Amino acid sequence: MSESNKEKIVQHIIDHLGGKQNIDNAWHCMTRLRFEINDDSLINTKEIQGIPEVMGVQNQNNQLQIIIGTDVESYYEILTSKLGSEKTESSPSKDKKEKKSLVTMFMDIVSGVFGPIVPAIAGAGMIKGLIAGFVALNWISDESQTIQVLDMLASGVFTFLPFFIAASAAKIFKTNQYLAIAIAASMQYPTMTDAAEAGNIDAFHVFGFIPIPVFNYAGNVIPIIFAVFVLSYVQRWVDNILPKAFRTVFTPTFSLFIGGLIAFTIIGPIGIYLGEGLADVIAWLFEFSPIVAGIVVGTIRPVAILTGLHHAMTPIALQNFADQGYDMLMPMMFMANMAIAGATLAMYRKAKSANEKSVIVSSSISAFLGITEPALFGVLTKYKRGLLAATIGSALASAFISAFGVRIYGYILSSIFSLPAYIGDYFIFAILGILIAVAAAYLVALFFARANNQLDETENNNGSTNEDLAAVATGIYVPIDQVEDKAFASKSIGDGYAIKPEKQEVLSPVSGEIINIFPTKHAIGIKTNSGLEVLIHMGIDTVSLEGKPFNLLADVGDTVNVKTQIATMDLEQIEHHQKDTTIMVVVTNMDRVEALPVAKKQAYQAGEKIGDILTSRK
């Protein structure tokens, strides 16, 4: 695709995220553009999903993810040029961090650290897999110089993995990359590495009394992530207390000295013990029951990929390689990918258009090659029973290979091309596991698809339905294309109407269930019985008021009708802050709407019927 077309796509994404001003931060991983958004109610998910190059969109843990695929880097470069460096490649803002849970923050860090370095790890892992296959087939002697050179190419990444982790983590924690790499280098300096291998001393002593425990940090990931995290605070602290004239020389000096000592004495050992603890938990699960371990990991893997939580398995697998020399989690990741491919392929029979069938075939092939996002976001989130089938296939296959102890001896992409890495004692079980994963997921998905088709036929017989649409407040009716908010006026978020309120009472414009409330209280989402998703947006640019003018009288999960008051808004306070009080009411999934009512007058009372929305069951 030409750069000009990619530029148009990126601009289209920015526009339907509510514009540049609505994007607080943006970065990317291996397949996804990731965003922090100021006002989620301005996001037009439907329009973004309609872009052919977009494989899926999800809002997970206060983070909007747009799945592009392996070409994401080229789109990100264009995005950077449009947004500016101040909004890209940065960690979440302080205010955003305070709103996140520790789990969310941890996952953001893990995905941010490992995303950029996955290509290096995957490439080196694939070479390791080929080496294992060549040696097992006796094509090349394991003592040959060819193997030695290939092993250098493959093992270099894993031996010096802390260097890669340090550089990537420095971007996340906003500290100097070269100081971070210096910390990693000191932890892997031959003096430390040789002492750990010799095993003749337990610790060095600085100034005769500060103990530096001896560990081999080669291939470890958790200690260096923590060390760079601490370094980021040390550097800022040093920079703040030093006079400006001394900072150039003494900030890096004191940062390296203090940060390095903390890494050696506290952070490094804690990271080692934590990594070993995680590995021990996984090992205990396998010792307790390999089959149970396979079922647990196989079941959570597809959903983990869907939510972005799969990155949490990467440091555990790498820790297993460092501690045990092998890992049993990655073969299960392999099985999950194969199950996703099988379930996706089964959806071919359910597809109705040639374009949809083409998407399914290409997504399935991509999953066989180790990239599952197109299948998950482009196909299985649409056919949710297919996702359940993939989960079943993944659990069954993972339980099977785990029962026979299938393992891998180096990090490798979970692709059909990684099979050579399994040549040896476990090869036949890996092959059988693939067959189980693909066949089980495919057959279960076919069964679910048939059941779903019967349900669809029953629903289609019911035809179209009507939904009452009422005035959200007492005031003057305003056509949606005439409001002073371009995102709403362009109907990019959805179609509907607006009212300039004269009273503070806000009523539900439809009957249904409240499904979400924006943290700043200015936007409420309601889902009707027929599946319409209706957004009530109180005021224009009122997100900056932090909810102060709004008093909510309903909560998520509450059932409401057109006579239910859901909120009050302090019109005087909003106007005092020079904000527009207009309330917008839009249907965000317009694909379910056949016709919207036309207002018959200018002024309405709150709860007064405007007309009927003609909906269709899709």
Side-chain angles (χ1 to χ4, degrees):
M1 179 181 292
S2 67
E3 288 299 308
S4 61
N5 285 337
K6 288 183 179 179
E7 190 168 346
K8 291 178 182 177
I9 291 169
V10 171
Q11 187 59 54
H12 196 57
I13 289 173
I14 293 173
D15 291 343
H16 292 293
L17 288 178
K20 177 180 176 180
Q21 69 280 359
N22 198 39
I23 299 173
D24 183 59
N25 191 17
W27 66 104
H28 77 96
C29 59
M30 191 173 182
T31 58
R32 313 176 192 199
L33 293 173
R34 296 169 180 263
F35 298 89
E36 281 186 340
I37 302 298
N38 293 319
D39 188 346
D40 286 349
S41 67
L42 298 180
I43 299 171
N44 188 342
T45 303
K46 180 185 174 184
E47 287 292 332
I48 298 174
Q49 288 176 328
I51 301 172
E53 289 73 17
V54 171
M55 300 170 184
V57 180
Q58 69 168 6
N59 204 327
Q60 181 70 29
N61 294 328
N62 301 315
Q63 179 191 112
L64 184 78
Q65 301 174 11
I66 299 178
I67 296 84
I68 299 293
T70 53
D71 197 25
V72 67
E73 177 69 30
S74 61
Y75 287 89
Y76 178 73
E77 290 176 359
I78 297 171
L79 182 70
T80 300
S81 67
K82 289 183 176 293
L83 295 182
S85 59
E86 73 277 2
K87 289 193 175 187
T88 56
E89 286 194 346
S90 61
S91 58
S93 64
K94 182 179 179 182
D95 290 340
K96 292 277 184 178
K97 283 183 179 179
E98 288 175 354
K99 295 176 183 178
K100 293 184 177 182
S101 66
L102 289 176
V103 173
T104 299
M105 291 173 61
F106 172 74
M107 292 313 307
D108 284 349
I109 291 170
V110 171
S111 65
V113 169
F114 284 98
I117 65 175
V118 162
I121 297 174
M126 185 63 75
I127 295 175
K128 273 187 171 290
L130 292 173
I131 291 173
F134 293 158
V135 172
L137 294 170
N138 292 319
W139 289 355
I140 303 177
S141 169
D142 59 355
E143 298 180 356
S144 69
Q145 292 183 357
T146 300
I147 290 296
Q148 290 174 355
V149 171
L150 291 177
D151 185 59
M152 284 190 289
L153 289 173
S155 298
V157 173
F158 298 102
T159 301
F160 299 105
L161 188 59
F163 289 68
F164 296 83
I165 297 293
S168 187
K171 282 188 175 183
I172 299 299
F173 298 129
K174 304 299 291 179
T175 190
N176 186 279
Q177 280 186 293
Y178 300 100
L179 281 176
I181 294 171
I183 296 286
S186 65
M187 296 173 79
Q188 282 198 249
Y189 194 73
T191 302
M192 175 67 79
T193 304
D194 293 345
E197 290 181 356
N200 50 9
I201 61 171
D202 294 328
F204 298 106
H205 287 83
V206 179
F207 307 123
F209 67 92
I210 301 177
I212 305 293
V214 172
F215 291 107
N216 186 352
Y217 291 101
N220 280 277
V221 298
I222 296 178
I224 193 62
I225 292 177
F226 287 161
V228 175
F229 174 73
V230 170
L231 172 67
S232 67
Y233 282 94
V234 170
Q235 185 185 9
R236 284 192 286 271
W237 175 71
V238 172
D239 210 44
N240 285 333
I241 65 173
L242 285 178
K244 191 173 182 179
F246 293 165
R247 291 175 185 173
T248 301
V249 175
F250 291 104
T251 291
T253 302
F254 289 126
S255 298
L256 182 59
F257 179 75
I258 298 171
L261 280 183
I262 294 175
F264 275 136
T265 56
I266 302 172
I267 302 301
I270 290 176
I272 288 288
Y273 293 135
L274 180 58
E276 291 176 350
L278 289 172
D280 288 343
V281 170
I282 298 297
W284 173 84
L285 186 59
F286 280 100
E287 288 175 6
F288 172 74
S289 171
I291 294 176
V292 171
I295 292 173
V296 171
V297 176
T299 298
I300 65 175
R301 180 67 183 180
V303 177
I305 299 172
L306 198 62
T307 58
L309 297 176
H310 59 300
H311 291 291
M313 293 185 181
T314 302
I316 298 175
L318 292 171
Q319 190 70 43
N320 286 337
F321 291 128
D323 294 342
Q324 302 171 171
Y326 66 87
D327 174 63
M328 296 178 71
L329 289 178
M330 294 207 67
M332 297 183 195
M333 302 177 197
F334 187 11
M335 296 302 109
N337 285 4
M338 297 301 100
I340 290 169
T344 301
L345 198 57
M347 294 300 103
Y348 185 87
R349 292 192 175 187
K350 187 171 175 60
K352 298 177 181 178
S353 68
N355 180 63
E356 195 173 4
K357 290 181 179 181
S358 176
V359 169
I360 288 172
V361 171
S362 62
S363 298
S364 181
I365 292 173
S366 177
F368 277 116
L369 298 180
I371 303 298
T372 54
E373 277 83 358
L376 283 168
F377 292 98
V379 180
L380 297 184
T381 53
K382 179 179 181 180
Y383 303 109
K384 293 180 174 58
R385 290 175 175 83
L387 178 60
L388 178 58
T391 302
I392 293 172
S394 173
L396 290 175
S398 296
F400 174 81
I401 64 168
S402 181
F404 289 97
V406 175
R407 62 196 61 181
I408 195 77
Y409 294 92
Y411 191 101
I412 191 168
L413 189 67
S414 298
S415 158
I416 198 70
F417 287 123
S418 66
L419 263 178
Y422 292 87
I423 293 176
D425 296 339
Y426 305 104
F427 186 67
I428 184 61
F429 301 116
I431 293 292
L432 292 173
I434 293 172
L435 293 176
I436 292 172
V438 175
Y442 183 86
L443 293 174
V444 173
L446 280 184
F447 173 78
F448 284 154
R450 289 196 192 98
N452 194 43
N453 283 338
Q454 293 173 358
L455 180 61
D456 287 346
E457 289 174 4
T458 301
E459 288 183 343
N460 288 337
N461 290 334
N462 292 333
S464 300
T465 61
N466 290 336
E467 290 273 7
D468 286 346
L469 181 64
V472 70
T474 297
I476 304 301
Y477 179 93
V478 181
I480 195 68
D481 57 3
Q482 294 181 20
V483 300
E484 296 298 324
D485 187 305
K486 291 182 179 179
F488 285 101
S490 65
K491 301 184 182 180
S492 60
I493 297 172
D495 201 354
Y497 74 93
I499 278 186
K500 185 76 172 178
E502 297 175 349
K503 296 183 179 180
Q504 65 178 3
E505 292 81 8
V506 179
L507 274 61
S508 173
V510 292
S511 297
E513 178 186 349
I514 295 180
I515 57 173
N516 56 63
I517 296 174
F518 198 73
T520 49
K521 304 178 184 178
H522 73 292
I524 300 172
I526 298 175
K527 188 171 186 177
T528 71
N529 295 331
S530 65
L532 296 183
E533 294 177 2
V534 180
L535 171 68
I536 299 97
H537 195 284
M538 294 180 281
I540 296 175
D541 194 28
T542 49
V543 64
S544 60
L545 302 182
E546 300 179 344
K548 294 176 183 177
F550 308 108
N551 179 32
L552 299 183
L553 304 177
D555 205 349
V556 173
D558 287 357
T559 300
V560 295
N561 57 46
V562 295
K563 298 297 182 183
T564 304
Q565 184 177 349
I566 57 176
T568 59
M569 53 190 295
D570 189 331
L571 302 181
E572 291 184 2
Q573 187 177 357
I574 295 172
E575 290 171 347
H576 174 73
H577 288 90
Q578 299 181 335
K579 303 294 183 182
D580 192 323
T581 59
T582 302
I583 305 174
M584 283 72 68
V585 176
V586 295
V587 179
T588 57
N589 55 342
M590 285 296 295
D591 57 312
R592 287 182 169 269
V593 176
E594 292 186 6
L596 285 172
V598 178
K600 296 180 175 61
K601 56 182 185 177
Q602 263 193 321
Y604 281 89
Q605 295 294 314
E608 184 180 355
K609 185 174 179 178
I610 295 175
D612 292 324
I613 306 174
L614 184 61
T615 68
S616 60
R617 294 184 180 270
K618 290 189 178 182

